[in-house]
Amino acid sequence: MLVDALDHLVRGIVGHPDDVQVRSKPLRRGTLLEVRVHPEDLGRVIGRSGRTATALRTVVKALADGRPVRVDVVDVDRGR
Amino acid sequence: MSDTDVTGRSEGMDEDPTEAVETPADSMTAVDDDAVSDPEAGPVGAEEEFSDDEEGSEDDEDGDEADDETASESSARRPRRVPSLKRLEEEGEVAADYLEELLDITDLDGDIDIDVENGRASVAVVAEEENNRDLNRLVGSRGEVLEALQELTRLAVQARTGERSRLMLDVAGFRAARRRALEVVAAKACEEVVTGGTPVRLDPMSAFERKVVHDVVAGAGLRSESEGEEPSRRVVVFPVSQ
């Protein structure tokens, strides 16, 4: 559910919704959600001073209802 | 900040004599603000205890948004281009789609009301059943989740329309209730300023909250300004300068 929710939240705010990918990876404690977007959308998903990324984290954490969850926006050019 | 009561003001009225002289001579006090305290408060429902809010308000710095301008600034110096009704309705619909699907995915029950108020689209997610408190998850204990969701919803609108949105989002009546509480605080502050003749400084508030206060103050024929930096930015109410 969290993956779908985050996927939806990100898709809605980018210019290339079809290029959005959210993957869930188990962490030792909790879950990591990795967000990948079209390089042109990276700025949009992160936002001024990380404001948008913070908003995404805030909403996802609220939806996780106490389960530990981390949200990372992956820079596709560099990471992978 | 350790204020336990955000609704009260935190400082004495005359502890800062510099404030009193600061009132510019040319400031017009009878401001015809475009958004005088609107009693139109939207849906009701949350019995949140609004005991604090400061720490949660870092995300409302809103440099892009004139929410927080004093009434005189917004009406006299920087007239805001109000989007057409059609545009605002479209904003509301895009926002409703975005939120509707989120509710779907997350299995949260809620109805979505769309409206246009004061030149903005206004979208409210309300509980289908009175006692259903699930939606409070989308508000957060201090409204921080609501602010985040509003931010994302505005961006979703912007992604579709290509233009910045100043849409207001409410969930479970949180803002509506907060607004009513703040209107009381603001009215009290105005009274104090009128009787005491010195400025009154209120507790730190979010941009939305400061806007509510500025509107009440303007409606009372007084002048207010915001001072300080987020998250401790606060409203100061000034007496009429003559």
Side-chain angles (χ1 to χ4, degrees):
Chain A
M1 180 274 265
L2 281 184
V3 171
D4 293 341
L6 181 56
D7 183 87
H8 167 67
L9 289 172
V10 174
R11 246 170 236 269
I13 63 172
V14 296
H16 304 272
D18 294 343
D19 293 352
V20 173
Q21 260 185 28
V22 178
R23 269 187 237 158
S24 166
K25 291 187 178 173
L27 291 178
R28 246 191 346 169
R29 294 199 35 208
T31 310
L32 167 67
L33 299 180
E34 279 186 345
V35 180
R36 287 185 167 77
V37 297
H38 191 283
E40 282 172 18
D41 284 328
L42 203 56
R44 281 207 203 187
V45 171
I46 292 169
R48 187 161 40 98
S49 349
R51 185 174 157 142
T52 307
T54 304
L56 287 167
R57 285 189 187 106
T58 302
V59 174
V60 167
K61 284 209 167 106
L63 294 173
D65 217 12
R67 283 163 292 161
V69 56
R70 213 175 90 194
V71 175
D72 281 358
V73 178
V74 180
D75 188 338
V76 184
D77 286 341
R78 276 177 280 165
R80 192 146 260 209
Chain B
M1 248 27 46
S2 63
D3 314 309
T4 46
D5 177 15
V6 71
T7 57
R9 55 188 188 75
S10 56
E11 279 143 75
M13 318 193 293
D14 49 8
E15 95 290 15
D16 188 357
T18 55
E19 289 292 351
V21 262
E22 195 186 284
T23 352
D26 63 339
S27 82
M28 290 285 83
T29 24
V31 190
D32 55 329
D33 187 20
D34 50 352
V36 183
S37 61
D38 53 323
E40 177 52 65
V44 189
E47 297 102 11
E48 290 282 344
E49 202 57 49
F50 304 113
S51 50
D52 62 345
D53 67 324
E54 303 92 317
E55 310 91 292
S57 56
E58 72 270 16
D59 55 346
D60 64 48
E61 141 264 337
D62 279 323
D64 52 317
E65 162 175 13
D67 260 358
D68 174 43
E69 283 174 5
T70 61
S72 47
E73 276 167 8
S74 60
S75 60
R77 272 213 293 278
R78 266 203 268 162
R80 185 180 295 134
R81 192 169 47 93
V82 178
S84 71
L85 187 62
K86 199 172 150 251
R87 259 282 318 282
L88 293 174
E89 283 169 350
E90 189 195 338
E91 280 191 19
E93 274 159 34
V94 173
D97 286 349
Y98 187 64
L99 294 164
E100 187 94 59
E101 193 167 340
L102 181 67
L103 294 179
D104 250 27
I105 294 169
T106 55
D107 262 331
L108 291 168
D109 289 330
D111 290 329
I112 299 182
D113 293 342
I114 309 178
D115 205 351
V116 170
E117 279 171 23
N118 299 320
R120 300 187 191 205
S122 157
V123 177
V125 183
V126 296
E128 283 170 354
E129 291 154 38
E130 288 264 330
N131 297 322
N132 193 337
R133 305 182 60 90
D134 287 357
L135 281 181
N136 288 341
R137 244 202 277 174
L138 296 181
V139 174
S141 54
R142 290 164 280 124
E144 73 280 4
V145 182
L146 172 59
E147 294 297 341
L149 194 56
Q150 173 175 282
E151 174 78 14
L152 295 174
T153 306
R154 286 178 173 183
L155 293 172
V157 170
Q158 190 180 341
R160 288 272 287 275
T161 65
E163 295 204 43
R164 274 239 165 94
S165 168
R166 301 177 64 243
L167 167 146
M168 291 300 289
L169 174 65
D170 198 0
V171 173
F174 180 85
R175 269 191 217 285
R178 186 80 187 115
R179 171 178 292 143
R180 282 192 298 276
L182 282 167
E183 282 170 356
V184 173
V185 173
K188 256 197 215 152
C190 288
E191 246 178 74
E192 266 187 67
V193 167
V194 168
T195 46
T198 45
V200 167
R201 184 173 283 104
L202 297 168
D203 282 352
M205 294 175 187
S206 72
F208 158 73
E209 296 170 326
R210 295 193 302 266
K211 168 73 170 144
V212 172
V213 173
H214 285 311
D215 285 351
V216 171
V217 172
L222 298 176
R223 191 175 63 87
S224 56
E225 274 175 18
S226 295
E227 65 167 37
E229 296 298 318
E230 301 283 359
S232 33
R233 197 159 165 78
R234 54 179 67 197
V235 176
V236 186
V237 184
F238 295 96
V240 180
S241 57
Q242 219 65 276

